[in-house]
PDB file of all heavy atoms in Angstrom:
ATOM      1  N   LEU A 216       3.924  18.547  -6.230  1.00  0.00           N
ATOM      2  CA  LEU A 216       3.965  19.618  -7.231  1.00  0.00           C
ATOM      3  C   LEU A 216       5.235  19.554  -8.071  1.00  0.00           C
ATOM      4  O   LEU A 216       5.210  19.779  -9.273  1.00  0.00           O
ATOM      5  CB  LEU A 216       3.847  20.979  -6.535  1.00  0.00           C
ATOM      6  CG  LEU A 216       2.457  21.270  -5.954  1.00  0.00           C
ATOM      7  CD1 LEU A 216       2.488  22.500  -5.070  1.00  0.00           C
ATOM      8  CD2 LEU A 216       1.435  21.438  -7.078  1.00  0.00           C
ATOM      9  N   MET A 217       6.336  19.208  -7.419  1.00  0.00           N
ATOM     10  CA  MET A 217       7.613  19.124  -8.119  1.00  0.00           C
ATOM     11  C   MET A 217       7.576  17.999  -9.160  1.00  0.00           C
ATOM     12  O   MET A 217       8.029  18.149 -10.298  1.00  0.00           O
ATOM     13  CB  MET A 217       8.668  18.830  -7.050  1.00  0.00           C
ATOM     14  CG  MET A 217      10.061  18.829  -7.500  1.00  0.00           C
ATOM     15  SD  MET A 217      11.069  18.846  -5.968  1.00  0.00           S
ATOM     16  CE  MET A 217      12.193  17.562  -6.386  1.00  0.00           C
ATOM     17  N   ALA A 220       4.846  18.963 -11.875  1.00  0.00           N
ATOM     18  CA  ALA A 220       5.322  20.068 -12.707  1.00  0.00           C
ATOM     19  C   ALA A 220       6.455  19.614 -13.623  1.00  0.00           C
ATOM     20  O   ALA A 220       6.536  20.023 -14.779  1.00  0.00           O
ATOM     21  CB  ALA A 220       5.787  21.227 -11.822  1.00  0.00           C
ATOM     22  N   GLY A 221       7.307  18.734 -13.103  1.00  0.00           N
ATOM     23  CA  GLY A 221       8.416  18.212 -13.908  1.00  0.00           C
ATOM     24  C   GLY A 221       7.922  17.423 -15.104  1.00  0.00           C
ATOM     25  O   GLY A 221       8.478  17.510 -16.204  1.00  0.00           O
ATOM     26  N   HIS A 224       6.161  19.923 -17.556  1.00  0.00           N
ATOM     27  CA  HIS A 224       7.141  20.715 -18.300  1.00  0.00           C
ATOM     28  C   HIS A 224       7.815  19.880 -19.380  1.00  0.00           C
ATOM     29  O   HIS A 224       7.994  20.337 -20.512  1.00  0.00           O
ATOM     30  CB  HIS A 224       8.181  21.313 -17.349  1.00  0.00           C
ATOM     31  CG  HIS A 224       8.996  22.390 -17.972  1.00  0.00           C
ATOM     32  ND1 HIS A 224      10.285  22.190 -18.394  1.00  0.00           N
ATOM     33  CD2 HIS A 224       8.685  23.681 -18.278  1.00  0.00           C
ATOM     34  CE1 HIS A 224      10.744  23.306 -18.920  1.00  0.00           C
ATOM     35  NE2 HIS A 224       9.793  24.230 -18.856  1.00  0.00           N
TER      36      HIS A 224
ATOM     37  N   LEU B 435      23.481  23.611 -16.198  1.00  0.00           N
ATOM     38  CA  LEU B 435      22.415  22.661 -16.527  1.00  0.00           C
ATOM     39  C   LEU B 435      21.042  23.311 -16.645  1.00  0.00           C
ATOM     40  O   LEU B 435      20.182  22.852 -17.392  1.00  0.00           O
ATOM     41  CB  LEU B 435      22.334  21.568 -15.443  1.00  0.00           C
ATOM     42  CG  LEU B 435      23.575  20.715 -15.198  1.00  0.00           C
ATOM     43  CD1 LEU B 435      23.382  19.861 -13.941  1.00  0.00           C
ATOM     44  CD2 LEU B 435      23.862  19.822 -16.394  1.00  0.00           C
ATOM     45  N   ALA B 436      20.822  24.378 -15.882  1.00  0.00           N
ATOM     46  CA  ALA B 436      19.481  24.938 -15.764  1.00  0.00           C
ATOM     47  C   ALA B 436      19.145  25.883 -16.911  1.00  0.00           C
ATOM     48  O   ALA B 436      19.973  26.693 -17.335  1.00  0.00           O
ATOM     49  CB  ALA B 436      19.348  25.669 -14.431  1.00  0.00           C
ATOM     50  N   ARG B 437      17.930  25.715 -17.450  1.00  0.00           N
ATOM     51  CA  ARG B 437      17.418  26.620 -18.482  1.00  0.00           C
ATOM     52  C   ARG B 437      16.039  27.077 -18.042  1.00  0.00           C
ATOM     53  O   ARG B 437      15.140  26.255 -17.917  1.00  0.00           O
ATOM     54  CB  ARG B 437      17.265  25.905 -19.828  1.00  0.00           C
ATOM     55  CG  ARG B 437      18.545  25.415 -20.476  1.00  0.00           C
ATOM     56  CD  ARG B 437      19.252  26.501 -21.293  1.00  0.00           C
ATOM     57  NE  ARG B 437      20.527  26.007 -21.796  1.00  0.00           N
ATOM     58  CZ  ARG B 437      21.639  25.862 -21.055  1.00  0.00           C
ATOM     59  NH1 ARG B 437      21.637  26.175 -19.784  1.00  0.00           N
ATOM     60  NH2 ARG B 437      22.758  25.410 -21.600  1.00  0.00           N
ATOM     61  N   LYS B 438      15.870  28.375 -17.863  1.00  0.00           N
ATOM     62  CA  LYS B 438      14.566  28.938 -17.474  1.00  0.00           C
ATOM     63  C   LYS B 438      13.947  28.201 -16.294  1.00  0.00           C
ATOM     64  O   LYS B 438      12.772  27.837 -16.305  1.00  0.00           O
ATOM     65  CB  LYS B 438      13.608  28.908 -18.666  1.00  0.00           C
ATOM     66  CG  LYS B 438      14.013  29.865 -19.762  1.00  0.00           C
ATOM     67  CD  LYS B 438      13.002  29.824 -20.895  1.00  0.00           C
ATOM     68  CE  LYS B 438      13.407  30.773 -22.018  1.00  0.00           C
ATOM     69  NZ  LYS B 438      12.746  30.484 -23.269  1.00  0.00           N
ATOM     70  N   GLY B 439      14.755  27.924 -15.315  1.00  0.00           N
ATOM     71  CA  GLY B 439      14.220  27.322 -14.092  1.00  0.00           C
ATOM     72  C   GLY B 439      14.058  25.819 -14.125  1.00  0.00           C
ATOM     73  O   GLY B 439      13.546  25.226 -13.169  1.00  0.00           O
ATOM     74  N   TRP B 440      14.486  25.164 -15.212  1.00  0.00           N
ATOM     75  CA  TRP B 440      14.338  23.709 -15.286  1.00  0.00           C
ATOM     76  C   TRP B 440      15.628  23.043 -15.730  1.00  0.00           C
ATOM     77  O   TRP B 440      16.379  23.598 -16.510  1.00  0.00           O
ATOM     78  CB  TRP B 440      13.210  23.330 -16.254  1.00  0.00           C
ATOM     79  CG  TRP B 440      11.865  23.665 -15.717  1.00  0.00           C
ATOM     80  CD1 TRP B 440      11.131  24.788 -16.002  1.00  0.00           C
ATOM     81  CD2 TRP B 440      11.098  22.900 -14.781  1.00  0.00           C
ATOM     82  NE1 TRP B 440       9.953  24.760 -15.300  1.00  0.00           N
ATOM     83  CE2 TRP B 440       9.900  23.618 -14.549  1.00  0.00           C
ATOM     84  CE3 TRP B 440      11.303  21.686 -14.121  1.00  0.00           C
ATOM     85  CZ2 TRP B 440       8.918  23.151 -13.685  1.00  0.00           C
ATOM     86  CZ3 TRP B 440      10.315  21.225 -13.266  1.00  0.00           C
ATOM     87  CH2 TRP B 440       9.137  21.956 -13.054  1.00  0.00           C
ATOM     88  N   ILE B 441      15.828  21.832 -15.224  1.00  0.00           N
ATOM     89  CA  ILE B 441      16.983  21.036 -15.626  1.00  0.00           C
ATOM     90  C   ILE B 441      16.473  19.817 -16.369  1.00  0.00           C
ATOM     91  O   ILE B 441      15.621  19.079 -15.856  1.00  0.00           O
ATOM     92  CB  ILE B 441      17.808  20.620 -14.395  1.00  0.00           C
ATOM     93  CG1 ILE B 441      18.317  21.875 -13.666  1.00  0.00           C
ATOM     94  CG2 ILE B 441      18.970  19.724 -14.800  1.00  0.00           C
ATOM     95  CD1 ILE B 441      18.939  21.588 -12.319  1.00  0.00           C
ATOM     96  N   ARG B 442      16.993  19.603 -17.569  1.00  0.00           N
ATOM     97  CA  ARG B 442      16.476  18.521 -18.396  1.00  0.00           C
ATOM     98  C   ARG B 442      17.163  17.198 -18.105  1.00  0.00           C
ATOM     99  O   ARG B 442      16.589  16.128 -18.238  1.00  0.00           O
ATOM    100  CB  ARG B 442      16.651  18.890 -19.870  1.00  0.00           C
ATOM    101  CG  ARG B 442      15.741  18.104 -20.755  1.00  0.00           C
ATOM    102  CD  ARG B 442      15.754  18.535 -22.199  1.00  0.00           C
ATOM    103  NE  ARG B 442      15.152  17.479 -22.985  1.00  0.00           N
ATOM    104  CZ  ARG B 442      13.832  17.329 -23.147  1.00  0.00           C
ATOM    105  NH1 ARG B 442      12.996  18.184 -22.610  1.00  0.00           N
ATOM    106  NH2 ARG B 442      13.366  16.326 -23.858  1.00  0.00           N
ATOM    107  N   ASP B 457      11.343  16.730 -16.020  1.00  0.00           N
ATOM    108  CA  ASP B 457      12.330  17.777 -15.788  1.00  0.00           C
ATOM    109  C   ASP B 457      12.457  17.987 -14.288  1.00  0.00           C
ATOM    110  O   ASP B 457      11.552  17.686 -13.522  1.00  0.00           O
ATOM    111  CB  ASP B 457      11.903  19.071 -16.490  1.00  0.00           C
ATOM    112  CG  ASP B 457      12.040  18.946 -18.010  1.00  0.00           C
ATOM    113  OD1 ASP B 457      12.780  18.038 -18.452  1.00  0.00           O
ATOM    114  OD2 ASP B 457      11.402  19.724 -18.727  1.00  0.00           O
ATOM    115  N   PHE B 458      13.612  18.480 -13.888  1.00  0.00           N
ATOM    116  CA  PHE B 458      13.865  18.714 -12.470  1.00  0.00           C
ATOM    117  C   PHE B 458      13.923  20.227 -12.247  1.00  0.00           C
ATOM    118  O   PHE B 458      14.558  20.937 -13.013  1.00  0.00           O
ATOM    119  CB  PHE B 458      15.202  18.062 -12.076  1.00  0.00           C
ATOM    120  CG  PHE B 458      15.370  17.918 -10.591  1.00  0.00           C
ATOM    121  CD1 PHE B 458      14.705  16.911  -9.906  1.00  0.00           C
ATOM    122  CD2 PHE B 458      16.191  18.786  -9.875  1.00  0.00           C
ATOM    123  CE1 PHE B 458      14.847  16.775  -8.532  1.00  0.00           C
ATOM    124  CE2 PHE B 458      16.338  18.649  -8.503  1.00  0.00           C
ATOM    125  CZ  PHE B 458      15.666  17.638  -7.832  1.00  0.00           C
ATOM    126  N   PRO B 459      13.234  20.710 -11.210  1.00  0.00           N
ATOM    127  CA  PRO B 459      13.255  22.166 -11.021  1.00  0.00           C
ATOM    128  C   PRO B 459      14.643  22.630 -10.578  1.00  0.00           C
ATOM    129  O   PRO B 459      15.293  21.968  -9.768  1.00  0.00           O
ATOM    130  CB  PRO B 459      12.223  22.390  -9.909  1.00  0.00           C
ATOM    131  CG  PRO B 459      12.145  21.104  -9.170  1.00  0.00           C
ATOM    132  CD  PRO B 459      12.454  20.020 -10.157  1.00  0.00           C
ATOM    133  N   ALA B 460      15.056  23.755 -11.121  1.00  0.00           N
ATOM    134  CA  ALA B 460      16.305  24.356 -10.661  1.00  0.00           C
ATOM    135  C   ALA B 460      16.069  24.964  -9.281  1.00  0.00           C
ATOM    136  O   ALA B 460      14.948  25.335  -8.946  1.00  0.00           O
ATOM    137  CB  ALA B 460      16.747  25.433 -11.646  1.00  0.00           C
TER     138      ALA B 460
END
Side-chain angles (χ1 to χ4, degrees):
Chain A
L216 289 170
M217 186 167 132
H224 194 257
Chain B
L435 301 170
R437 295 276 175 284
K438 291 182 181 162
W440 289 97
I441 299 170
R442 200 173 164 83
D457 289 341
F458 196 77

